Amino acid sequence: MAKPVKPAARRAGAGSKFAKVARGELLTLLDFVRFAVSRFVEAKLVFAHGTTDPVAEAAFLVCEALHLHPDQLDTFAAARVTAAEAKAILDLIERRVRTRKPAAYLVNKIYMRGVPFYVDERVIVPRSFIGEILDSHLGAGEDGGYALLGDPAEVEHVLDLCTGSGCLAILAARHFPNAQVDAVDISKDALAVAARNVSEHGLEERVKLHRGNLFAPLGDMRYDLIISNPPYVDAEGMAALPLECRAEPKLAFDGGADGLDLVRRILNEAGTHLTPQGGLLCEIGRGRERLEAACPQLPLLWLDSEDSEGEVFWIAAADLG
């Protein structure tokens, strides 16, 4: 008589190397992180969806399986894992390797600036540098003054174009405590995810979602700040997207032949939607040279973050005309 398949083998895939990890070989959280790192490196996975390397991704998945915030890993690194928890962790590791889907889709969560957001395949996995730049360049300066925009408490109206999951709109609402935030996306599916995040963060009264093509649904509304992380991948980049990125909505990546189709439109139209002292903050990836060549008359200020250099620009309303 054939032996019954054990639940752990069913869940992780009968016969897989993950199912065959002997009980007792991996004991602590750190053991499982190390095991995941080895499997991710062996499988040549790509990391660009909220984590930038296999160690960070392994820590993220292990903590999510155990309902821990990633910041708690060090506290519990030496803690033992139960048999049921081990099965859940190994299942996530196996699914990440087998499906090549971004880890955020497997657990329906991503963190930006330490803040959790719900995500699924209807939206691109958030990984914008703008969240960090809101803190580093649009808040109180080290000398007690204010950078670029003035006192965050005096900002009244913010617009997030191509909002996707709504994460940047929500971070903006948290950063500018007295601001009303409009968030626009052309995708009905993306706005459904954004609505869930706005509700979960209790911001329904301050963040309003609009469906439409860039500025089209906003009338003649003007803003103190416009932020945008639009599609900016060029045709060559679209053809070379790794499997992880191919699991995400194509609409969220495709920026046209040179990657600047939407960026040009935003620059052309933003001036009529900014207050006189306002400005535009826009992320364009590695398109700096192309944009500077296309718009040499614009005094773009390029801003760096901890993990990027010259991928986000600022331009004041007065310089847009």
Side-chain angles (χ1 to χ4, degrees), residues 174-256:
R174 292 164 61 99
H175 186 77
F176 303 106
N178 299 315
Q180 293 293 315
V181 181
D182 285 332
V184 178
D185 205 285
I186 199 170
S187 168
K188 180 180 178 181
D189 287 341
L191 289 174
V193 175
R196 174 170 178 165
N197 280 318
V198 170
S199 176
E200 289 184 352
H201 286 274
L203 289 168
E204 298 97 324
E205 298 299 317
R206 295 185 52 216
V207 179
K208 184 176 181 181
L209 303 176
H210 305 263
R211 186 183 180 194
N213 194 338
L214 296 182
F215 298 97
L218 302 172
D220 58 0
M221 185 67 188
R222 287 181 178 266
Y223 299 90
D224 303 306
L225 172 66
I226 298 173
I227 59 177
S228 185
N229 182 22
Y232 54 69
V233 180
D234 61 21
E236 182 179 355
M238 289 297 296
L241 285 177
L243 289 175
E244 282 84 350
C245 293
R246 293 176 187 270
E248 299 176 273
K250 179 181 177 181
L251 183 67
F253 286 105
D254 193 350

Side-chain angles (χ1 to χ4, degrees), residues 88-109:
I89 295 170
L90 291 174
D91 175 55
L92 278 176
I93 296 170
E94 190 271 339
R95 288 169 58 203
R96 177 67 178 93
V97 170
R98 175 173 52 81
T99 68
R100 296 296 291 260
K101 287 185 177 181
Y105 287 162
L106 302 181
V107 298
N108 296 123
K109 185 184 289 186

Side-chain angles (χ1 to χ4, degrees), residues 124 126 128 130-131 134 157-172 180-187 190-191 194 207-219 221-232 251-253 261-274 279-284 313 315 320:
I124 191 172
S128 175
I130 289 177
L134 289 177
H157 297 284
V158 175
L159 170 61
D160 176 23
L161 288 176
C162 308
T163 192
S165 62
C167 57
L168 290 181
I170 290 167
L171 290 178
Q180 293 293 315
V181 181
D182 285 332
V184 178
D185 205 285
I186 199 170
S187 168
L191 289 174
V207 179
K208 184 176 181 181
L209 303 176
H210 305 263
R211 186 183 180 194
N213 194 338
L214 296 182
F215 298 97
L218 302 172
M221 185 67 188
R222 287 181 178 266
Y223 299 90
D224 303 306
L225 172 66
I226 298 173
I227 59 177
S228 185
N229 182 22
Y232 54 69
L251 183 67
F253 286 105
D261 283 3
L262 270 73
V263 178
R264 288 190 187 89
R265 289 182 54 199
I266 291 170
L267 283 168
N268 287 337
E269 300 176 38
T272 60
H273 290 278
L274 284 167
L280 166 67
L281 189 66
C282 185
E283 182 168 335
I284 64 164
F313 68 81
I315 185 165
L320 283 168

Side-chain angles (χ1 to χ4, degrees), residues 137 148 280-282 288 292 298-304 310 312-316 319:
H137 291 81
L148 293 180
L280 166 67
L281 189 66
C282 185
R288 176 175 177 172
E292 289 181 329
L298 294 180
L300 304 174
L301 175 63
W302 296 94
L303 306 176
D304 299 337
V312 178
F313 68 81
W314 164 269
I315 185 165
D319 293 320

